[in-house]
């Protein structure tokens, strides 16, 4: 699809990403999904093409990137139809921005180059068993003890939780509410940290874990930002996270559309290709319409962010628009495939299993509506 927002530089990066996905991910997506993991070597390969460094400071191995370069990266990754691979491979895009933004200089210099080179894995740990997006009321406690914080509590549904070398963890260092929340960088080999692997509906190739902190001693220098400022730093992550999810979901919807079109042209029923049945043609047009509308909304919001705006309400609505489009297209694609769509191995089936995690992660559909309405003054 032609768009005025992309330059020759974006197109060149798209070509690099497409070759990378076609060679390094797509042929193995089903195998990795069944295995429940992908090779750690993929991080290094992704770093070599500049994928991991997008948007991070150049002094630490990052690469300058605008909103549209990030959209290209997210949407080309989605072409493999492997949401679990994308989620874990890119978990540093939510785990490391707080480090880049607010950690001490020596922490940035030690951690970021390793992550952006694909040598170490970064993850974000906020959600707890008793609450998801209710960050202001989290319970994991970090008490100051000399030159250390002593951390106790649990985090769950943590992407890259089993393999992460660096965990950006939201903890309570003060009283109740948002003002008592801080961020700590906790290293994966910290004594007292244990991990439990979780089994999921989708994203099988992405390791997801519950983290247990049992009196973990963390150097005070690992505090990210000022004590009590964690909530603000976490909130700064959300626009980027939700835009990334919206870009991916729109692309996953397009993958379902493309796969359904190809199958409808090939599969014959009642003496003619599926695509010649009016009901199938109408399904395909409905899918294409929703994908085009979501992509247009996504790109306009990206442009507004590039102009320095912060359209929080519209970004919340964008996330819902994209996840609903993904849900619709995945369902229709599986329906067009019929019995073949119920079999493991095709992209549409895999994407169908991954619909709900996108509608929940980064803020549920209900939370997005409530936040958008508040931003609108309602």
């Amino acid at each position: 699809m032609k768009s005025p927002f992309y330059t020759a530089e974006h197109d060149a990066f798209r070509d690099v990403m497409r070759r990378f996905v076609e060679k390094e991910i797509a042929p193995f997506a089903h195998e990795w999904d069944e295995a429940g993991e992908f090779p750690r070597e993929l991080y290094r390969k992704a770093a070599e093409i500049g994928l991991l460094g997008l948007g991070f400071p150049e002094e630490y191995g990052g690469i300058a990137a605008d909103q549209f370069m990030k959209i290209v990266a997210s949407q080309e990754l989605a072409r493999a139809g492997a949401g679990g691979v994308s989620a874990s491979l890119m978990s540093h895009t939510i785990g490391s921005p707080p480090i880049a933004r607010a950690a001490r200089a020596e922490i940035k210099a030690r951690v970021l180059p390793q992550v952006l080179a694909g040598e170490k894995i970064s993850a974000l740990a906020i959600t707890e068993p008793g609450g998801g997006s209710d960050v202001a009321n989290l319970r994991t406690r970090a008490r100051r003890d000399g030159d250390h914080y002593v951390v106790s509590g649990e985090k769950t549904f943590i992407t890259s939780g089993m393999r992460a070398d660096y965990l950006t963890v939201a903890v309570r260092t003060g009283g109740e509410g948002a003002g008592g929340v801080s961020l700590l960088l906790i290293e994966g080999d910290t004594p007292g940290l244990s991990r439990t692997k979780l089994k999921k509906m989708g994203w099988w190739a992405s390791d997801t874990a519950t983290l247990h902190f049992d009196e973990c001693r963390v150097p005070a220098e690992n505090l990210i930002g000022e004590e009590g400022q964690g909530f603000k730093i976490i909130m700064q992550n959300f626009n980027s996270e939700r835009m990334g999810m919206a870009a991916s979901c729109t692309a996953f919807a397009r993958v379902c559309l493309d796969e359904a079109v190809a199958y409808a042209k090939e599969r014959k029923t009642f003496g003619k290709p599926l695509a010649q049945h009016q009901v199938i043609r109408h399904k395909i047009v409905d899918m294409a319409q929703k994908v085009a509308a979501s992509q247009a909304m996504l790109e306009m919001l990206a442009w507004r962010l590039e102009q320095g705006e912060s359209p929080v309400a519209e970004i919340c609505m964008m996330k819902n628009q994209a996840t609903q489009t993904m849900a619709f297209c995945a369902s229709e694609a599986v329906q067009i495939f019929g019995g073949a769509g119920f079999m493991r191995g095709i992209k549409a089936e895999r994407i169908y299993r991954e619909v709900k995690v996108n509608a929940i992660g980064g803020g549920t559909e209900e939370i997005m509506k409530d936040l958008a309405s508040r931003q609108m003054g309602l």
Side-chain angles (χ1 to χ4, degrees):
M1 295 172 61
K2 294 292 184 180
S3 169
F5 297 111
Y6 300 96
T7 66
E9 186 179 4
H10 295 116
D11 292 339
F13 183 61
R14 187 187 302 278
D15 290 341
V16 171
M17 280 296 305
R18 189 159 299 187
R19 289 194 298 271
F20 172 75
V21 170
E22 289 176 351
K23 178 183 178 182
E24 303 291 352
I25 300 179
F28 315 107
H30 176 64
E31 173 189 337
W32 292 344
D33 218 40
E34 295 292 330
E37 64 180 9
F38 60 87
R40 189 166 177 137
E41 176 68 9
L42 189 64
Y43 290 91
R44 184 189 61 77
K45 292 178 178 179
E48 288 176 352
I49 65 166
L51 175 58
L52 301 190
L54 287 181
F56 285 91
E58 294 181 41
E59 62 188 295
Y60 304 117
I63 299 172
D66 64 7
Q67 293 292 324
F68 295 99
M69 199 69 83
K70 294 176 183 179
I71 288 175
V72 168
S74 295
Q75 298 202 320
E76 288 301 316
L77 277 176
R79 289 175 63 86
V85 176
S86 298
S88 273
L89 183 63
M90 303 302 287
S91 64
H92 74 293
T93 62
I94 56 175
S96 289
I99 299 172
R101 186 179 297 119
R104 287 176 169 80
E106 56 271 24
I107 298 294
K108 295 180 185 181
R110 178 168 63 87
V111 172
L112 292 177
Q114 294 179 316
V115 171
L116 302 184
E119 298 168 359
K120 300 288 186 179
I121 298 172
S122 169
L124 180 69
I126 295 178
T127 300
E128 298 184 347
S133 298
D134 190 9
V135 181
N137 291 308
L138 61 84
R139 297 180 179 179
T140 298
R141 175 69 62 177
R143 59 179 173 82
R144 187 69 181 260
D145 182 20
D147 293 334
H148 289 77
Y149 286 96
V150 180
V151 180
S152 295
E154 281 190 323
K155 300 292 179 180
T156 195
F157 310 140
I158 306 307
T159 300
S160 292
M162 292 301 297
R163 298 201 288 191
D165 302 288
Y166 296 115
L167 295 158
T168 300
V169 185
V171 296
R172 183 163 301 284
T173 53
E176 297 301 309
V181 176
S182 300
L183 280 177
L184 281 177
L185 176 68
I186 301 181
E187 302 199 25
D189 59 357
T190 300
L193 168 62
S194 59
R195 320 181 196 211
T196 303
K197 187 171 184 176
L198 301 175
K199 293 185 176 181
K200 314 173 294 297
M201 177 191 296
W203 277 9
W204 294 351
S206 170
D207 78 75
T208 309
T210 293
L211 309 177
H212 312 269
F213 301 96
D214 183 11
E215 296 286 289
C216 294
R217 294 186 66 82
V218 180
E221 66 182 19
N222 284 23
L223 182 69
I224 298 174
E226 298 297 323
E227 198 171 281
Q229 296 299 305
F231 186 84
K232 290 182 180 179
I233 299 171
I234 293 167
M235 293 302 109
Q236 290 172 342
N237 249 15
F238 277 139
N239 275 355
S240 176
E241 180 181 1
R242 289 163 184 163
M243 284 292 288
M245 293 184 73
S248 294
C249 290
T250 301
F252 283 127
R254 183 179 290 118
V255 169
C256 291
L257 168 62
D258 292 344
E259 199 172 42
V261 167
Y263 185 77
K265 290 179 177 178
E266 175 187 319
R267 171 78 164 124
K268 290 185 177 181
T269 61
F270 302 100
K272 59 183 179 181
L274 272 177
Q276 291 184 17
H277 294 280
Q278 185 183 58
V279 66
I280 300 300
R281 294 201 302 272
H282 287 189
K283 284 180 179 293
I284 289 171
V285 170
D286 284 342
M287 294 165 72
Q289 176 182 318
K290 291 180 184 295
V291 170
S294 295
Q295 187 71 19
M297 185 177 181
L298 174 71
E299 292 178 353
M300 182 52 68
L301 280 175
W303 180 83
R304 290 178 63 185
L305 286 168
E306 286 295 313
Q307 308 314 303
E309 295 185 40
S310 183
V312 175
E314 290 88 345
I315 290 174
C316 291
M317 289 187 276
M318 175 73 253
K319 180 179 180 289
N320 282 356
Q321 168 74 19
T323 56
Q324 290 165 10
T325 296
M326 178 184 177
F328 179 85
C329 290
S331 179
E332 291 294 75
V334 170
Q335 190 71 20
I336 289 170
F337 269 86
F342 194 62
M343 299 296 105
R344 274 149 60 168
I346 67 168
K347 293 178 182 178
E349 179 272 335
R350 196 159 55 237
I351 292 170
Y352 186 84
R353 286 190 274 106
E354 297 174 350
V355 164
K356 275 300 176 185
V357 68
N358 290 283
I360 294 170
T364 66
E365 185 173 311
E366 295 78 12
I367 289 173
M368 293 299 93
K369 290 178 180 178
D370 191 57
L371 181 54
S373 68
R374 292 179 187 223
Q375 290 289 318
M376 295 165 65
L378 301 177

